[in-house]
Amino acid sequence: MSGHSSNMSVIDDNRAVSTVIGVVILFGFLILALSLYQVEIVPQQNAETEFQHSGEVRNDLIELRAGILQAGSIDQPQYQTVELGTTYSTRVFTINPPSPAGIIRTTDPYPITISNNSGTPEGTITIPTRFIEYQPGYNELDRSPTWYDASVLYLDARDEGGGIAVIEDQALIDGGEVQITALQNEFRRSGTGRVTLELRPAENVTSNIPNGDLTVTVPTRLSGDNWKNKTDLPTNSDIYGGVNDTGNDINNKNIYNLTLNTTANNLTVDTVGIQEEPEAPTQTDNTRIDGGGSGDSSDGTISTPSLTGTVENLPTDSTPTQNITFSPTGSTIPAGETVAIDLSNANGPVDYNNIGQITKNFSGSLNTVNNAGTFAIEFTPSTNIATGRTVEIQLQSVPTQDTVTTGLPVYVSRSDGDGFNTTFSLFDGANGGGGGGGQTSITYVSAFNDGDTTTEANEDSSIPTQQGPFGNIDNFDSMTVEDRNNARINTNYVNNELEQTIDVGMRVENIDTGSTYTLEFAYFFERNNVGQVNVAILDDSGTVLQSSSLDQSQTRSSTNSAPPETAIQLNTQASNYIDNNGEIYVEFRTPDNEKGYTQFLVDYLRIQTN
């Protein structure tokens, strides 16, 4: 018995030892697998995250460059965001390195000089300008910085043994004209989140450009060989005067002076400040630098800030939509000022006390004043409204009396200046006459559906697409108003072969019924991110009612910064769908299996009813 018990004990001990050994071996394999995963897979996944961020921040910097040039050229503040860094996927059993934080900063100022070589004090002026450097903090990818330098955006890999790779080319010389944009004010931010740079043009006249033939020197980090071989600067023209070393440096890289020969008539100088107004003025007008918002005319006199505009006639005994438009004259309407539309003396024949919704085509706030016999609509823009821009205030469901009336007065004024008086009429709507013509209304896009896997305001996953949704829409709100702030539509990765696709949908709803409908939107491609994109009109089931293609030659550099409008007359099938449903769906889509990064910017998207 005792021998049998002893044998059983040995067997049990052997089984226990076998179990322990098995657990140890299994644990060892687990540790080995985790170690291999940590060494091989984690860096690859993190590199993919960094690569995706590098593409996104590259596009942010392209938009930042465009915003700098645009702020000066149109005398309106621009707001550009840059995603400085990124974060890796959360891990349970493995470890990530610190999140790669980026830094964006301006350098010390360097002088732009403009001289007619007369030797007199008034014959030379200087304007300070700065460079912008963005430095990523990647753990896996190259950390070479990106620079904004004299309108050129480029990757500088010289510290890593590489060279200069131009991302966006020069905008200094266009034909025979020279355009200088000075960038001012100190700025520095670091981290992994997004940072917004407010780009503010100068507002006041501060100095004059000398008369006659001029020599302009522009500070730059690019050598003469870089300008000749890396950019499209016309170095074989009379405008190009060479590149000379200044003896200064940034991070052991020389600072040069690029010399350009021009005349006062062919020179434009803008100054743009980051976060605050710049020290120098914004733009030239023949022989002077002036601020676009200052109200200076070409002969040196001061124009009174005022307005021009129209008020639409209305049919009798109906509830139509009434459009009221105005445009600034004399000077820009600064953000925060107010335009008042006084309809008090027209209130009665038109029952403004009971109108429906009030909409606008420009970003800002609306306020209605309705008391003590006064009826007025006040509009306060959130960004500057430059001269030549038209703001439309649309009053929907406006009740009118059943009596033809003429000469109904309206006064439209701006708080920083004057305005205009005009009249409108009630005409016999049954006979379709009276000078009012047909009614025109504008309805902006209200919702979207993209493929970035995040849920945002105005996003509706029920909006149809043909194959998607794929791709990404940033800053969608800019499509719901005409304000020159652009929404960005771009591709994203959809499989391991890095296939990239756009298929995003949008809805325009509550469209007024009319005889014809037109899809209107303003867009351009980023020059280095052009691809084939189709725009389609869909019904709620995703059936294509109408389709056309975007013009791939319509790039930022070919359109002078402002996206041009495209108008597509809707066909009978699409028009009938609007008549029956009061809405329509718009899709932007790249062809099946389209490879390569594509990005385009859209200012607004709307349906015009006539």
Side-chain angles (χ1 to χ4, degrees):
M1 291 291 294
S2 61
H4 180 72
S5 298
S6 175
N7 290 336
M8 289 299 294
S9 176
V10 170
I11 293 173
D12 290 342
D13 289 344
N14 289 338
R15 288 175 177 173
V17 170
S18 298
T19 300
V20 171
I21 292 174
V23 170
V24 170
I25 293 173
L26 182 61
F27 185 73
F29 278 122
L30 179 61
I31 295 298
L32 179 61
L34 285 174
S35 299
L36 291 174
Y37 190 89
Q38 178 72 54
V39 172
E40 298 292 338
I41 305 302
V42 170
Q44 292 177 18
Q45 292 177 341
N46 289 349
E48 184 176 344
T49 298
E50 292 177 0
F51 179 75
Q52 184 170 353
H53 173 262
S54 68
E56 293 171 351
V57 75
R58 177 178 181 269
N59 292 318
D60 289 344
L61 295 172
I62 289 173
E63 292 190 28
L64 175 61
R65 169 192 176 271
I68 293 170
L69 302 178
Q70 187 173 2
S73 64
I74 69 173
D75 299 323
Q76 281 190 319
Q78 303 294 305
Y79 301 87
Q80 302 294 340
T81 59
V82 177
E83 188 173 11
L84 297 179
T86 187
T87 55
Y88 302 123
S89 301
T90 302
R91 304 187 186 280
V92 178
F93 298 109
T94 53
I95 301 173
N96 280 324
S99 296
I103 299 173
I104 189 168
R105 69 180 186 97
T106 55
T107 65
D108 293 334
Y110 299 90
I112 297 170
T113 64
I114 304 171
S115 177
N116 62 8
N117 302 305
S118 65
T120 61
E122 63 272 13
T124 301
I125 63 172
T126 62
I127 303 172
T129 190
R130 298 174 186 253
F131 308 114
I132 294 179
E133 178 190 17
Y134 168 74
Q135 176 76 61
Y138 299 135
N139 295 296
E140 305 297 337
L141 300 187
D142 179 38
R143 295 189 178 189
S144 295
T146 301
W147 288 82
Y148 170 80
D149 172 355
S151 79
V152 182
L153 186 70
Y154 58 86
L155 182 71
D156 187 352
R158 288 178 291 182
D159 287 340
E160 306 298 327
I164 298 293
V166 172
I167 300 171
E168 288 291 300
D169 217 323
Q170 64 87 25
L172 293 173
I173 300 176
D174 184 9
E177 297 185 353
V178 176
Q179 167 77 53
I180 305 295
T181 301
L183 183 68
Q184 298 180 358
N185 300 336
E186 184 177 0
F187 183 84
R188 179 186 174 91
R189 297 289 189 276
S190 62
T192 59
R194 300 190 71 88
V195 60
T196 298
L197 289 82
E198 180 182 2
L199 306 170
R200 302 182 61 180
E203 294 281 348
N204 300 311
V205 176
T206 60
S207 58
N208 292 331
I209 286 182
N211 293 316
D213 295 333
L214 300 175
T215 299
V216 180
T217 63
V218 181
T220 177
R221 298 177 69 254
L222 299 176
S223 66
D225 286 342
N226 292 145
W227 281 104
K228 182 178 180 179
N229 299 320
K230 301 290 187 179
T231 77
D232 63 4
L233 191 79
T235 54
N236 58 349
S237 71
D238 293 336
I239 297 177
Y240 178 70
V243 176
N244 299 303
D245 194 343
T246 65
N248 297 316
D249 68 82
I250 302 176
N251 299 338
N252 298 318
K253 296 296 183 293
N254 293 347
I255 301 298
Y256 303 92
N257 272 337
L258 169 65
T259 300
L260 303 175
N261 302 308
T262 185
T263 65
N265 290 331
N266 290 327
L267 175 63
T268 303
V269 178
D270 299 323
T271 57
V272 175
I274 300 179
Q275 310 302 85
E276 297 178 357
E277 290 185 4
E279 303 168 14
T282 50
Q283 66 182 19
T284 62
D285 183 4
N286 292 331
T287 61
R288 59 193 296 119
I289 303 177
D290 65 36
S294 64
D296 285 15
S297 64
S298 59
D299 61 2
T301 60
I302 303 298
S303 300
T304 301
S306 191
L307 297 167
T308 60
T310 62
V311 178
E312 190 174 27
N313 294 336
L314 296 174
T316 58
D317 193 23
S318 64
T319 54
T321 296
Q322 184 176 35
N323 296 309
I324 301 173
T325 67
F326 59 85
S327 300
T329 62
S331 74
T332 293
I333 302 175
E337 295 290 344
T338 297
V339 174
I341 304 169
D342 190 345
L343 298 160
S344 303
N345 293 322
N347 201 12
V350 180
D351 186 6
Y352 286 110
N353 299 309
N354 293 300
I355 59 176
Q357 184 180 11
I358 305 175
T359 62
K360 57 192 181 341
N361 70 335
F362 208 94
S363 60
S365 62
L366 287 168
N367 178 52
T368 301
V369 178
N370 188 5
N371 58 63
T374 298
F375 185 89
I377 297 169
E378 296 177 338
F379 172 65
T380 304
S382 57
T383 61
N384 291 1
I385 304 175
T387 55
R389 300 300 306 278
T390 298
V391 178
E392 180 181 77
I393 306 297
Q394 189 176 87
L395 313 182
Q396 299 178 7
S397 301
V398 182
T400 62
Q401 67 176 15
D402 189 19
T403 303
V404 172
T405 307
T406 60
L408 295 171
V410 181
Y411 179 53
V412 185
S413 61
R414 51 190 286 182
S415 57
D416 63 335
D418 293 337
F420 66 93
N421 288 287
T422 189
T423 62
F424 71 97
S425 301
L426 299 181
F427 62 90
D428 187 354
N431 293 325
Q439 295 297 308
T440 299
S441 65
I442 297 291
T443 309
Y444 284 84
V445 63
S446 59
F448 72 100
N449 184 19
D450 68 1
D452 67 357
T453 71
T454 62
T455 301
E456 306 165 50
N458 303 110
E459 186 166 5
D460 184 350
S461 60
S462 69
I463 293 175
T465 59
Q466 294 184 64
Q467 298 291 337
F470 298 128
N472 178 55
I473 300 178
D474 279 334
N475 200 25
F476 171 77
D477 285 347
S478 292
M479 297 179 67
T480 65
V481 64
E482 182 181 358
D483 61 359
R484 292 206 181 191
N485 290 320
N486 301 318
R488 180 176 66 188
I489 302 177
N490 57 271
T491 54
N492 57 11
Y493 298 118
V494 298
N495 63 31
N496 293 331
E497 284 71 41
L498 304 186
E499 179 182 333
Q500 297 176 320
T501 305
I502 294 175
D503 190 0
V504 296
M506 282 155 272
R507 180 173 61 236
V508 186
E509 56 191 334
N510 299 320
I511 303 171
D512 288 338
T513 302
S515 57
T516 61
Y517 303 96
T518 305
L519 172 65
E520 300 176 339
F521 58 99
Y523 77 94
F524 53 52
F525 286 94
E526 291 292 7
R527 183 171 57 182
N528 295 327
N529 303 134
V530 177
Q532 182 178 344
V533 178
N534 299 324
V535 55
I537 308 299
L538 311 179
D539 63 16
D540 57 359
S541 68
T543 300
V544 177
L545 308 178
Q546 186 174 348
S547 181
S548 61
S549 298
L550 300 189
D551 182 356
Q552 297 183 48
S553 68
Q554 196 162 292
T555 63
R556 184 193 294 273
S557 59
S558 69
T559 57
N560 297 321
S561 296
E565 181 174 281
T566 293
I568 300 174
Q569 184 80 39
L570 298 194
N571 61 19
T572 301
Q573 194 175 5
S575 298
N576 289 341
Y577 185 83
I578 294 178
D579 289 339
N580 295 328
N581 299 277
E583 64 182 19
I584 201 71
Y585 297 91
V586 180
E587 176 194 47
F588 289 107
R589 180 170 180 261
T590 53
D592 293 340
N593 300 320
E594 175 80 4
K595 297 182 184 294
Y597 189 82
T598 301
Q599 176 178 251
F600 59 101
L601 282 78
V602 181
D603 181 6
Y604 57 85
L605 187 145
R606 63 198 183 196
I607 296 292
Q608 176 174 297
T609 303
N610 292 302

Short mmCIF file of all heavy atoms in Angstrom, two decimals, residues 138-174:
data_model
loop_
_atom_site.label_atom_id
_atom_site.label_comp_id
_atom_site.label_asym_id
_atom_site.label_seq_id
_atom_site.Cartn_x
_atom_site.Cartn_y
_atom_site.Cartn_z
N TYR A 138 8.65 63.90 -34.76
CA TYR A 138 8.36 62.50 -34.98
C TYR A 138 9.40 61.59 -34.33
O TYR A 138 10.59 61.93 -34.24
CB TYR A 138 8.29 62.19 -36.48
CG TYR A 138 7.21 62.95 -37.21
CD1 TYR A 138 7.46 63.57 -38.43
CD2 TYR A 138 5.93 63.06 -36.67
CE1 TYR A 138 6.47 64.26 -39.10
CE2 TYR A 138 4.93 63.75 -37.34
CZ TYR A 138 5.21 64.35 -38.55
OH TYR A 138 4.22 65.04 -39.21
N ASN A 139 8.95 60.41 -33.93
CA ASN A 139 9.84 59.39 -33.38
C ASN A 139 10.31 58.41 -34.44
O ASN A 139 11.34 57.76 -34.26
CB ASN A 139 9.13 58.63 -32.26
CG ASN A 139 8.83 59.51 -31.07
OD1 ASN A 139 9.73 60.02 -30.42
ND2 ASN A 139 7.54 59.72 -30.78
N GLU A 140 9.58 58.27 -35.53
CA GLU A 140 9.91 57.30 -36.56
C GLU A 140 10.32 57.96 -37.88
O GLU A 140 11.24 57.49 -38.54
CB GLU A 140 8.72 56.36 -36.80
CG GLU A 140 8.20 55.64 -35.57
CD GLU A 140 9.22 54.72 -34.94
OE1 GLU A 140 10.16 54.29 -35.65
OE2 GLU A 140 9.11 54.44 -33.73
N LEU A 141 9.63 59.02 -38.27
CA LEU A 141 9.89 59.65 -39.56
C LEU A 141 10.91 60.78 -39.41
O LEU A 141 11.27 61.20 -38.31
CB LEU A 141 8.59 60.20 -40.15
CG LEU A 141 7.47 59.20 -40.42
CD1 LEU A 141 6.32 59.90 -41.15
CD2 LEU A 141 7.97 58.01 -41.21
N ASP A 142 11.35 61.28 -40.57
CA ASP A 142 12.30 62.38 -40.63
C ASP A 142 11.72 63.63 -39.97
O ASP A 142 10.53 63.93 -40.12
CB ASP A 142 12.63 62.65 -42.10
CG ASP A 142 13.59 63.79 -42.27
OD1 ASP A 142 14.51 63.93 -41.45
OD2 ASP A 142 13.42 64.56 -43.24
N ARG A 143 12.57 64.36 -39.25
CA ARG A 143 12.12 65.57 -38.56
C ARG A 143 12.48 66.85 -39.31
O ARG A 143 12.50 67.93 -38.71
CB ARG A 143 12.72 65.63 -37.16
CG ARG A 143 12.27 64.53 -36.21
CD ARG A 143 12.74 64.80 -34.81
NE ARG A 143 12.28 63.79 -33.86
CZ ARG A 143 12.41 63.89 -32.54
NH1 ARG A 143 13.01 64.95 -32.02
NH2 ARG A 143 11.97 62.93 -31.74
N SER A 144 12.76 66.78 -40.57
CA SER A 144 13.16 67.98 -41.32
C SER A 144 12.07 69.04 -41.25
O SER A 144 10.88 68.73 -41.40
CB SER A 144 13.44 67.62 -42.78
OG SER A 144 14.55 66.75 -42.88
N PRO A 145 12.44 70.31 -41.05
CA PRO A 145 11.45 71.37 -40.91
C PRO A 145 10.90 71.84 -42.26
O PRO A 145 11.51 71.63 -43.31
CB PRO A 145 12.24 72.49 -40.24
CG PRO A 145 13.65 72.28 -40.72
CD PRO A 145 13.83 70.79 -40.85
N THR A 146 9.73 72.46 -42.20
CA THR A 146 9.12 73.12 -43.36
C THR A 146 9.16 74.62 -43.12
O THR A 146 8.85 75.09 -42.02
CB THR A 146 7.68 72.65 -43.56
OG1 THR A 146 7.67 71.23 -43.75
CG2 THR A 146 7.04 73.32 -44.77
N TRP A 147 9.53 75.36 -44.16
CA TRP A 147 9.71 76.81 -44.04
C TRP A 147 8.77 77.55 -45.00
O TRP A 147 8.55 77.11 -46.13
CB TRP A 147 11.14 77.21 -44.36
CG TRP A 147 12.14 76.82 -43.31
CD1 TRP A 147 12.72 75.60 -43.13
CD2 TRP A 147 12.66 77.67 -42.28
NE1 TRP A 147 13.57 75.63 -42.05
CE2 TRP A 147 13.56 76.89 -41.51
CE3 TRP A 147 12.47 79.00 -41.94
CZ2 TRP A 147 14.26 77.41 -40.43
CZ3 TRP A 147 13.16 79.53 -40.85
CH2 TRP A 147 14.04 78.73 -40.11
N TYR A 148 8.24 78.69 -44.50
CA TYR A 148 7.61 79.68 -45.37
C TYR A 148 8.60 80.81 -45.53
O TYR A 148 9.03 81.42 -44.54
CB TYR A 148 6.30 80.21 -44.78
CG TYR A 148 5.75 81.39 -45.54
CD1 TYR A 148 5.05 81.21 -46.72
CD2 TYR A 148 5.98 82.70 -45.09
CE1 TYR A 148 4.56 82.29 -47.44
CE2 TYR A 148 5.49 83.79 -45.80
CZ TYR A 148 4.78 83.58 -46.98
OH TYR A 148 4.32 84.66 -47.68
N ASP A 149 8.98 81.10 -46.77
CA ASP A 149 10.10 82.00 -47.04
C ASP A 149 9.82 82.76 -48.33
O ASP A 149 9.83 82.18 -49.42
CB ASP A 149 11.38 81.16 -47.14
CG ASP A 149 12.62 81.91 -47.60
OD1 ASP A 149 12.52 83.09 -47.94
OD2 ASP A 149 13.69 81.28 -47.61
N ALA A 150 9.52 84.06 -48.21
CA ALA A 150 9.33 84.92 -49.39
C ALA A 150 8.33 84.31 -50.37
O ALA A 150 8.58 84.21 -51.57
CB ALA A 150 10.66 85.19 -50.08
N SER A 151 7.22 83.84 -49.85
CA SER A 151 6.08 83.26 -50.57
C SER A 151 6.29 81.80 -50.94
O SER A 151 5.35 81.14 -51.38
CB SER A 151 5.72 84.05 -51.83
OG SER A 151 6.58 83.77 -52.91
N VAL A 152 7.49 81.25 -50.76
CA VAL A 152 7.77 79.86 -51.10
C VAL A 152 7.60 78.99 -49.85
O VAL A 152 8.07 79.35 -48.77
CB VAL A 152 9.20 79.69 -51.66
CG1 VAL A 152 9.45 78.24 -52.06
CG2 VAL A 152 9.41 80.61 -52.86
N LEU A 153 6.95 77.84 -50.01
CA LEU A 153 6.84 76.86 -48.94
C LEU A 153 7.68 75.66 -49.34
O LEU A 153 7.49 75.09 -50.42
CB LEU A 153 5.38 76.44 -48.75
CG LEU A 153 5.09 75.52 -47.56
CD1 LEU A 153 5.24 76.27 -46.25
CD2 LEU A 153 3.68 74.93 -47.66
N TYR A 154 8.63 75.27 -48.48
CA TYR A 154 9.53 74.18 -48.86
C TYR A 154 9.96 73.37 -47.65
O TYR A 154 9.98 73.86 -46.51
CB TYR A 154 10.77 74.71 -49.59
CG TYR A 154 11.59 75.72 -48.82
CD1 TYR A 154 12.57 75.33 -47.92
CD2 TYR A 154 11.39 77.09 -49.01
CE1 TYR A 154 13.33 76.26 -47.22
CE2 TYR A 154 12.12 78.03 -48.32
CZ TYR A 154 13.11 77.61 -47.43
OH TYR A 154 13.85 78.54 -46.73
N LEU A 155 10.31 72.11 -47.90
CA LEU A 155 10.90 71.22 -46.91
C LEU A 155 12.40 71.37 -46.99
O LEU A 155 12.99 71.27 -48.08
CB LEU A 155 10.49 69.77 -47.18
CG LEU A 155 10.98 68.72 -46.19
CD1 LEU A 155 10.24 68.85 -44.86
CD2 LEU A 155 10.77 67.31 -46.76
N ASP A 156 13.06 71.60 -45.85
CA ASP A 156 14.50 71.81 -45.81
C ASP A 156 15.16 70.61 -45.11
O ASP A 156 15.15 70.51 -43.88
CB ASP A 156 14.81 73.11 -45.06
CG ASP A 156 16.29 73.47 -45.13
OD1 ASP A 156 17.08 72.64 -45.62
OD2 ASP A 156 16.66 74.58 -44.68
N ALA A 157 15.72 69.70 -45.90
CA ALA A 157 16.36 68.50 -45.36
C ALA A 157 17.87 68.61 -45.40
O ALA A 157 18.58 67.59 -45.37
CB ALA A 157 15.89 67.27 -46.13
N ARG A 158 18.42 69.83 -45.46
CA ARG A 158 19.86 69.99 -45.57
C ARG A 158 20.59 69.48 -44.33
O ARG A 158 21.71 68.98 -44.42
CB ARG A 158 20.20 71.45 -45.84
CG ARG A 158 19.84 71.91 -47.25
CD ARG A 158 20.14 73.36 -47.50
NE ARG A 158 19.25 74.24 -46.73
CZ ARG A 158 19.28 75.57 -46.79
NH1 ARG A 158 20.17 76.16 -47.59
NH2 ARG A 158 18.45 76.30 -46.08
N ASP A 159 19.98 69.60 -43.16
CA ASP A 159 20.63 69.10 -41.95
C ASP A 159 20.72 67.58 -41.93
O ASP A 159 21.53 67.01 -41.19
CB ASP A 159 19.86 69.57 -40.70
CG ASP A 159 20.08 71.05 -40.41
OD1 ASP A 159 21.08 71.59 -40.91
OD2 ASP A 159 19.25 71.65 -39.71
N GLU A 160 19.88 66.91 -42.73
CA GLU A 160 19.89 65.46 -42.80
C GLU A 160 20.64 64.96 -44.04
O GLU A 160 20.54 63.79 -44.40
CB GLU A 160 18.45 64.93 -42.83
CG GLU A 160 17.57 65.41 -41.70
CD GLU A 160 18.08 64.96 -40.34
OE1 GLU A 160 18.66 63.85 -40.27
OE2 GLU A 160 17.90 65.71 -39.36
N GLY A 161 21.38 65.86 -44.67
CA GLY A 161 22.13 65.48 -45.85
C GLY A 161 21.36 65.57 -47.14
O GLY A 161 21.85 65.16 -48.19
N GLY A 162 20.13 66.08 -47.08
CA GLY A 162 19.31 66.23 -48.27
C GLY A 162 19.38 67.64 -48.83
O GLY A 162 20.40 68.34 -48.70
N GLY A 163 18.30 68.07 -49.43
CA GLY A 163 18.27 69.40 -50.03
C GLY A 163 16.95 70.09 -49.78
O GLY A 163 16.24 69.80 -48.81
N ILE A 164 16.60 71.00 -50.68
CA ILE A 164 15.36 71.76 -50.62
C ILE A 164 14.33 71.10 -51.52
O ILE A 164 14.60 70.79 -52.68
CB ILE A 164 15.59 73.21 -51.09
CG1 ILE A 164 16.60 73.92 -50.18
CG2 ILE A 164 14.28 73.97 -51.15
CD1 ILE A 164 16.12 74.15 -48.78
N ALA A 165 13.12 70.87 -50.98
CA ALA A 165 12.02 70.33 -51.78
C ALA A 165 10.87 71.33 -51.72
O ALA A 165 10.24 71.51 -50.67
CB ALA A 165 11.57 68.97 -51.26
N VAL A 166 10.59 72.00 -52.82
CA VAL A 166 9.57 73.04 -52.86
C VAL A 166 8.18 72.39 -52.85
O VAL A 166 7.90 71.49 -53.64
CB VAL A 166 9.73 73.93 -54.10
CG1 VAL A 166 8.55 74.88 -54.25
CG2 VAL A 166 11.04 74.72 -54.01
N ILE A 167 7.34 72.85 -51.94
CA ILE A 167 5.96 72.37 -51.84
C ILE A 167 5.02 73.31 -52.59
O ILE A 167 4.17 72.88 -53.37
CB ILE A 167 5.54 72.26 -50.37
CG1 ILE A 167 6.45 71.27 -49.63
CG2 ILE A 167 4.08 71.82 -50.25
CD1 ILE A 167 6.25 71.26 -48.12
N GLU A 168 5.14 74.62 -52.35
CA GLU A 168 4.37 75.65 -53.07
C GLU A 168 5.34 76.68 -53.61
O GLU A 168 6.17 77.22 -52.86
CB GLU A 168 3.34 76.31 -52.15
CG GLU A 168 2.15 75.43 -51.80
CD GLU A 168 1.25 75.19 -52.99
OE1 GLU A 168 0.73 76.16 -53.56
OE2 GLU A 168 1.08 74.01 -53.36
N ASP A 169 5.24 76.96 -54.89
CA ASP A 169 6.24 77.80 -55.56
C ASP A 169 6.03 79.28 -55.27
O ASP A 169 5.06 79.69 -54.63
CB ASP A 169 6.20 77.54 -57.06
CG ASP A 169 7.58 77.57 -57.70
OD1 ASP A 169 8.41 78.39 -57.27
OD2 ASP A 169 7.83 76.75 -58.61
N GLN A 170 6.96 80.08 -55.79
CA GLN A 170 6.99 81.52 -55.52
C GLN A 170 5.78 82.24 -56.10
O GLN A 170 5.23 81.84 -57.14
CB GLN A 170 8.28 82.13 -56.07
CG GLN A 170 8.44 82.05 -57.58
CD GLN A 170 7.81 83.22 -58.33
OE1 GLN A 170 7.65 84.32 -57.78
NE2 GLN A 170 7.45 83.01 -59.59
N ALA A 171 5.37 83.32 -55.40
CA ALA A 171 4.30 84.20 -55.88
C ALA A 171 4.80 85.63 -55.93
O ALA A 171 4.01 86.58 -55.88
CB ALA A 171 3.08 84.09 -54.98
N LEU A 172 6.13 85.80 -56.04
CA LEU A 172 6.71 87.14 -56.06
C LEU A 172 6.52 87.83 -57.40
O LEU A 172 6.29 89.04 -57.46
CB LEU A 172 8.21 87.08 -55.73
CG LEU A 172 8.61 86.65 -54.32
CD1 LEU A 172 10.11 86.46 -54.24
CD2 LEU A 172 8.14 87.69 -53.31
N ILE A 173 6.67 87.09 -58.48
CA ILE A 173 6.63 87.67 -59.82
C ILE A 173 5.54 86.97 -60.62
O ILE A 173 5.51 85.73 -60.70
CB ILE A 173 7.98 87.52 -60.54
CG1 ILE A 173 9.08 88.24 -59.76
CG2 ILE A 173 7.89 88.07 -61.96
CD1 ILE A 173 10.47 88.08 -60.37
N ASP A 174 4.64 87.75 -61.16
CA ASP A 174 3.56 87.24 -62.01
C ASP A 174 3.52 88.11 -63.26
O ASP A 174 3.09 89.26 -63.21
CB ASP A 174 2.23 87.27 -61.28
CG ASP A 174 1.10 86.66 -62.11
OD1 ASP A 174 1.40 86.07 -63.17
OD2 ASP A 174 -0.07 86.78 -61.71
#
